[in-house]
Amino acid sequence: MNPKTLSLLEYDKILARLAEHCAFSASVELAEKLKPTPSFKKAKIRLEETSEARLLFSTHETVSVGGARDVRNQVKLAARGGILETQHLLDIKSTLIAARQLRKSFGKEETDKSRGGTEPYPYSNLKKIVEKLPPPLGLVDAITHTISEKGEILDSASPQLASIRKERRVSHNRLMTKLQKIISNTQNKKMLQEAIITQRDGRYVIPLQAQYKGQIKGITHDQSSSGATLFIEPLSTVEGNNKIRELQLAERDEERRVLAELCAKIGESQDEINTGVEALAALDLAFAKAKYADAIRAEEPLLGEKLKVEGSKKKADKPSSLNLQTFNLIEARHPLLDPETVVPLDIALDAATRALVITGPNTGGKTVTLKTVGLLALMAQSGLHIPAKSGSALPCFASVHADIGDEQSIEQSLSTFSGHIKNISQILKKADEKSLVIFDELGAGTDPQEGAALARAILSELLERGSLSFVATHYPELKAFAHTTQKVVNASLEFNLHTLRPTYKLTIGLPGRSNALAIAKRLGLPSSVLVAAEGEIDPGEMRVDSMLDDIHRQRKVAFKERRKAEKARIQAHRLRRELNEKLENIEEERLKILEKAREEAKSQVEATQVEIQEMRRRLQEAEKPLEEIEEVKEQIKTVEKKIKQPIRKKKKVVAEEFKEASGEIGIDDKVHVRTLGTEGIVTALGKGEAEVQVGALRMWAKLKDLQVKKKAKKEEKKPVSTPRIRTAAAVLPRMELDIRGERADDALDKLDRYIDQAYVAEMPFVRIVHGKGTGRLREVVREALRANPYVKSFEEGKEKEGGAGVTVVKF
């Protein structure tokens, strides 16, 4: 890739932002040196590594390279026989621990995955990097055994060192005891400046007043700046000081020997450690790509490989190339712009299109569009996910070339036009069928007629070579060229004529206008000048511009209508889905109630059969006839047949089966509840009302709302105890809905479905349990109830019902 192109497209700024997500210097170095690869295979692997890292972070948020450091220089020094500082040894230890933990984490993940099923291992590319991490070398334990976390050499580093230090401590204590006796002596106290023990030149001394010089025999090592104090080493402690000094030197030598031995081990593992650091850097770079992708809300692009096929275009028997993978960016954004304010781009080019000519107003976004296209291509081939919707597709280019901006150079005596031509000539030397070429204001900076002709010739040459080209221009000749030439498509950036401001929206298939006069008017150019300018324009050109404006307006109207239709379709689909869910829930609950009733009846039949067997036994013992028992058994068989019948969809209740409750209703009578449109069994009686059981639900209803089912005339028989089978003829939702602990949106969604079910079932009232808490959920629920057309009224529940934590709703 051309370094100048990378700079023009601001690729270096992307790398700088990527480096901010790296954890240590080695991965930062890799990020700063990252270049797009022309290899489809390598680019694909890079993208997969980033995707795997993002997947890993979604399930293992804490995974990282830990305390890894770039210790390659230190290891190189150790390999040459150098002795490292203790902090450098701790850095090596930390790096090896990070490698060990990552190997363990990926090994555990692979084991868990193999136990879970036959799905492929999701981190195969990252695992290949992890396999390059060094195996346990024994260095972590060796360093831990030798150096503390504070960087101090431990006594456990060697037996000799432990012995020397122990002897030094004993000698030190003996020396301190002697010196303490000297300064504690009553005769000596008056001669001392202070009764303390201090050090001079590594020797332990006491402060003697100068006037008592010679009173205590010893060696003078120093005196105070005023000369009033002499620091002497008493003769009786000289041997002790000498002993300590000898042990200090022995300790120093042993420490150096221990460190040299440890560094030699590290030097022997130089290759393994360096390979491990490089693998850690590669892993951390993949992690940084994943973090950067999350930061810019990016998605993995579909990368297509350019394949050569035999064919002919303009010259016979000449092999040509065809990009079988289309160029498709969906809601693409420039990664360096604010995602909240930038207008996304949609660019869809089929495999046959080889050039896109973009026209539009100045400051309308043409240059940003070109940079977005080029930069996203570079990012994709660097393994970076791009800020675009999922499903975006890009070809894999062997080279990317760009000519953007002012190429004027005073040092090289180049004008703007000359600078552009020099750059374009270099591009034409390298561009081929695998190249992406980007031109901003192609042919600008010279006579418009000659510049347009030159632009057409350059674009034709690139078409002949098969390069994919993106060109921004103001030349109307290039618009006409794009309209009449195969494999070339027009595009425009919209301009709002009402606000006289660009909208930055790209439209494929239509050329745009530069709108120079409109912009000049907005910027305050005198109207007399504008009128004169309009008079100089060819009327035919004015009609073409007017026609383009009409096409853009009609396209916009069609787009709005299509969006409305799409929105209506989505809403209809949602309503259909919700209705199906409601119907499924109602049917499931009905079947559950009927199944429960069947099980209850079955258990009652079994209990009755047991009683019959017991009665039969007793009658046999009493030698009485069994006719009555046989009659009961026949009735039981009839009930069993009914129980074994399959549960079918409910039938509507026939009104003729019921009569008005003109007489007195009795317990266990089967009645029709008019307010609910269903059957029930009377279980208790009160003043002017009765308790009716409907399936699993019990409720009180007024007698005037009940109809007693007509009883079929039967032959008079002896009364026998037969089980009553109770089934619900209609399915009702539960009497209360519990939404405590729900979020407001979820609670309102459940409330709407529940109110719909209760209203369809003609339930007189229901209870909504929302709890007390802060009262926020209660306010949201009651606000929704006020706006619901099915709700007649609602009130706070009574104390026994839950008080302020419950709302009773009437329909």
Side-chain angles (χ1 to χ4, degrees):
M1 298 293 176
N2 188 344
K4 185 174 183 179
T5 296
L6 299 181
S7 177
L8 288 173
L9 296 176
E10 300 178 293
Y11 179 74
D12 55 331
K13 294 182 180 179
I14 298 296
L15 297 185
R17 296 196 178 187
L18 175 64
E20 292 175 0
H21 295 280
C22 295
F24 73 120
S25 59
S27 54
V28 170
E29 183 180 353
L30 283 182
E32 291 174 345
K33 293 181 178 179
L34 181 65
K35 293 291 184 291
T37 175
S39 167
F40 170 78
K41 185 177 180 180
K42 290 182 180 179
K44 192 70 175 171
I45 292 174
R46 289 181 178 183
L47 287 171
E48 289 173 355
E49 288 174 354
T50 306
S51 297
E52 290 174 11
R54 296 184 75 176
L55 177 61
L56 184 65
F57 282 136
S58 68
T59 55
H60 303 74
E61 296 181 0
T62 58
V63 68
S64 70
V65 296
R69 301 287 185 273
D70 186 1
V71 295
R72 286 173 291 187
N73 289 334
Q74 291 87 331
V75 173
K76 183 178 179 181
L77 176 61
R80 292 179 176 178
I83 298 178
L84 304 180
E85 296 180 6
T86 55
Q87 186 57 50
H88 291 159
L89 293 170
L90 290 177
D91 288 343
I92 293 173
K93 171 187 170 182
S94 178
T95 302
L96 293 174
I97 289 175
R100 182 178 65 187
Q101 289 177 340
L102 281 169
R103 285 181 64 92
K104 187 184 297 183
S105 297
F106 275 84
K108 181 178 182 300
E109 184 70 27
E110 189 172 22
T111 302
D112 294 344
K113 194 67 181 177
S114 63
R115 291 174 181 171
T118 58
E119 294 182 8
Y121 183 62
Y123 312 115
S124 56
N125 289 292
L126 294 182
K127 187 68 166 61
K128 292 178 182 178
I129 302 176
V130 171
E131 289 172 351
K132 298 178 182 178
L133 295 173
L137 302 171
L139 294 176
V140 172
D141 292 339
I143 296 173
T144 302
H145 187 73
T146 304
I147 302 171
S148 71
E149 294 299 325
K150 296 180 179 180
E152 300 170 348
I153 300 177
L154 299 172
D155 292 352
S156 58
S158 75
Q160 182 65 22
L161 181 61
S163 175
I164 292 172
R165 286 181 174 177
K166 181 179 180 181
E167 186 177 355
R168 181 173 61 81
R169 286 192 293 271
V170 172
S171 299
H172 179 270
N173 291 336
R174 289 174 181 171
L175 178 60
M176 291 299 104
T177 301
K178 282 186 179 182
L179 288 172
Q180 192 64 39
K181 285 182 179 179
I182 293 173
I183 63 177
S184 299
N185 187 290
T186 54
Q187 293 182 355
N188 295 338
K189 278 185 178 180
K190 63 180 181 180
M191 294 184 288
L192 298 175
Q193 195 73 35
E194 287 183 85
I196 62 171
I197 301 170
T198 185
Q199 277 188 313
R200 287 294 184 274
D201 299 328
R203 314 277 295 185
Y204 289 97
V205 296
I206 57 176
L208 181 69
Q209 295 182 34
Q211 61 192 21
Y212 296 108
K213 181 179 180 181
Q215 296 294 319
I216 297 178
K217 300 298 182 181
I219 302 171
T220 302
H221 287 277
D222 197 6
Q223 70 177 6
S224 64
S225 57
S226 63
T229 304
L230 301 176
F231 296 95
I232 68 168
E233 177 185 0
L235 290 178
S236 60
T237 64
V238 170
E239 185 178 351
N241 266 318
N242 290 342
K243 182 66 174 177
I244 289 175
R245 184 57 181 163
E246 290 172 1
L247 291 172
Q248 286 175 342
L249 294 175
E251 179 182 9
R252 181 199 65 186
D253 293 342
E254 181 61 16
E255 286 179 351
R256 289 182 62 83
R257 188 194 68 78
V258 168
L259 291 179
E261 185 177 322
L262 182 58
C263 290
K265 290 182 180 179
I266 292 172
E268 292 172 0
S269 303
Q270 179 183 11
D271 293 340
E272 291 88 347
I273 296 174
N274 287 346
T275 302
V277 170
E278 291 166 3
L280 284 172
L283 268 179
D284 191 47
L285 180 61
F287 294 163
K289 290 178 183 178
K291 294 173 185 176
Y292 182 53
D294 288 339
I296 63 174
R297 295 179 289 186
E299 296 287 345
E300 180 183 1
L302 302 174
L303 201 63
E305 186 175 15
K306 293 176 71 71
L307 303 174
K308 289 187 177 181
V309 297
E310 293 300 323
S312 61
K313 292 182 182 179
K314 294 182 180 179
K315 296 183 179 180
D317 302 326
K318 179 180 178 181
S320 62
S321 68
L322 186 65
N323 181 11
L324 300 182
Q325 173 67 48
T326 58
F327 189 103
N328 185 24
L329 292 178
I330 306 171
E331 295 188 21
R333 297 173 279 106
H334 194 290
L336 300 177
L337 298 179
D338 184 359
E340 302 300 330
T341 57
V342 67
V343 178
L345 299 171
D346 289 303
I347 304 176
L349 304 179
D350 58 28
T353 302
R354 307 312 301 149
L356 185 71
V357 177
I358 304 173
T359 51
N362 289 315
T363 70
K366 295 191 299 298
T367 302
V368 172
T369 299
L370 295 178
K371 286 188 174 182
T372 301
V373 169
L375 189 53
L376 296 195
L378 296 176
M379 289 176 66
Q381 292 178 221
S382 300
L384 295 168
H385 289 183
I386 63 174
K389 288 287 185 181
S390 178
S392 295
L394 291 169
C396 183
F397 299 104
S399 60
V400 178
H401 307 280
D403 179 54
I404 299 175
D406 189 356
E407 293 295 322
Q408 183 171 263
S409 173
I410 296 176
E411 290 90 351
Q412 298 180 23
S413 301
L414 293 175
S415 65
T416 299
F417 177 74
S418 301
H420 280 297
I421 293 300
K422 182 178 180 181
N423 196 20
I424 291 170
S425 64
Q426 294 297 322
I427 291 173
L428 291 178
K429 290 178 182 178
K430 301 174 183 177
D432 57 19
E433 72 278 359
K434 296 183 179 180
S435 299
L436 171 65
V437 180
I438 298 171
F439 287 135
D440 187 19
E441 302 294 351
L442 181 61
T446 187
D447 177 75
Q449 186 174 0
E450 293 183 356
L454 190 59
R456 287 197 305 271
I458 293 171
L459 196 52
S460 296
E461 176 65 22
L462 292 173
L463 287 173
E464 181 70 20
R465 298 186 184 189
S467 303
L468 181 60
S469 305
F470 287 79
V471 178
T473 184
H474 287 285
Y475 288 140
E477 292 86 350
L478 278 187
K479 300 179 192 177
F481 176 82
H483 183 70
T484 58
T485 306
Q486 290 185 350
K487 305 174 189 171
V488 186
V489 176
N490 268 308
S492 60
L493 284 155
E494 297 179 7
F495 186 80
N496 192 321
L497 293 176
H498 297 290
T499 61
L500 295 180
R501 293 182 181 276
T503 63
Y504 305 108
K505 292 182 180 179
L506 184 69
T507 302
I508 305 292
L510 288 177
R513 299 173 57 192
S514 294
N515 295 289
L517 297 181
I519 294 173
K521 183 177 180 181
R522 179 167 66 86
L523 296 177
L525 199 67
S527 57
S528 58
V529 176
L530 294 172
V531 171
E534 289 177 356
E536 295 293 329
I537 298 176
D538 182 3
E541 291 290 334
M542 296 292 289
R543 285 194 297 273
V544 171
D545 286 344
S546 179
M547 188 183 304
L548 283 174
D549 289 340
D550 290 338
I551 293 173
H552 278 285
R553 280 194 293 270
Q554 292 173 12
R555 185 188 181 103
K556 189 175 295 184
V557 170
F559 178 73
K560 288 182 179 179
E561 292 300 324
R562 188 174 63 190
R563 288 191 64 180
K564 287 181 182 179
E566 181 67 15
K567 187 175 181 181
R569 187 190 66 79
I570 293 173
Q571 187 175 6
H573 178 72
R574 180 178 61 81
L575 292 174
R576 188 185 304 111
R577 186 179 67 250
E578 291 178 356
L579 181 59
N580 289 336
E581 289 176 357
K582 290 178 182 179
L583 292 175
E584 288 176 5
N585 293 336
I586 290 172
E587 183 63 16
E588 286 177 6
E589 191 162 350
R590 184 184 77 85
L591 294 176
K592 286 180 182 177
I593 292 173
L594 292 180
E595 186 62 33
K596 184 177 180 182
R598 180 196 289 275
E599 293 297 327
E600 291 176 355
K602 185 178 179 181
S603 62
Q604 291 178 14
V605 169
E606 291 174 353
T608 305
Q609 287 177 337
V610 172
E611 291 179 5
I612 290 173
Q613 294 295 333
E614 180 63 21
M615 290 174 63
R616 185 184 184 92
R617 186 184 62 78
R618 291 181 181 178
L619 288 173
Q620 286 177 344
E621 291 176 356
E623 295 182 355
K624 291 184 179 181
L626 302 177
E627 287 80 2
E628 293 181 0
I629 294 297
E630 295 301 326
E631 184 179 344
V632 173
K633 286 180 67 179
E634 289 298 323
Q635 294 180 5
I636 291 296
K637 288 180 180 178
T638 302
V639 173
E640 284 182 322
K641 289 180 181 178
K642 292 182 179 180
I643 293 172
K644 292 179 180 179
Q645 290 177 357
I647 297 174
R648 296 182 176 88
K649 290 186 177 180
K650 65 179 183 179
K651 296 180 180 179
K652 293 184 178 179
V653 178
V654 181
E656 285 74 18
E657 293 182 4
F658 297 89
K659 65 180 181 179
E660 292 291 337
S662 56
E664 194 173 298
I665 296 176
I667 294 178
D668 286 343
D669 280 348
K670 189 171 185 179
V671 294
H672 177 70
V673 186
R674 283 186 289 190
T675 56
L676 298 179
T678 186
E679 294 180 38
I681 305 296
V682 177
T683 57
L685 293 172
K687 188 176 181 180
E689 58 184 3
E691 184 185 57
V692 182
Q693 179 164 348
V694 180
L697 173 69
R698 290 195 178 193
M699 60 174 291
W700 284 89
K702 294 181 179 180
L703 292 178
K704 65 180 183 180
D705 294 330
L706 303 178
Q707 289 177 305
V708 182
K709 188 174 182 182
K710 292 180 180 179
K711 300 178 181 178
K713 292 182 179 180
K714 298 180 182 177
E715 295 180 1
E716 291 185 5
K717 295 183 180 179
K718 286 186 178 182
V720 293
S721 298
T722 59
R724 182 187 294 271
I725 310 303
R726 298 180 183 180
T727 61
V731 177
L732 301 176
R734 299 180 182 275
M735 285 298 295
E736 67 179 28
L737 172 66
D738 191 345
I739 54 174
R740 287 175 292 184
E742 299 279 355
R743 295 178 59 185
D745 291 342
D746 297 337
L748 288 179
D749 189 42
K750 290 184 178 180
L751 178 65
D752 286 342
R753 290 200 299 267
Y754 178 69
I755 292 295
D756 289 346
Q757 292 176 1
Y759 182 77
V760 169
E762 297 183 357
M763 295 180 67
F765 67 88
V766 293
R767 290 189 293 271
I768 310 300
V769 182
H770 43 64
K772 297 177 182 178
T774 61
R776 172 60 183 160
L777 186 56
R778 178 176 64 244
E779 293 176 6
V780 170
V781 167
R782 293 183 178 177
E783 187 66 29
L785 292 174
R786 290 189 188 95
N788 196 304
Y790 301 150
V791 176
K792 178 181 179 181
S793 64
F794 60 86
E795 60 185 15
E796 188 173 290
K798 296 180 181 179
E799 190 63 31
K800 292 183 179 179
E801 293 177 316
V806 175
T807 297
V808 180
V809 183
K810 296 180 181 178
F811 295 99

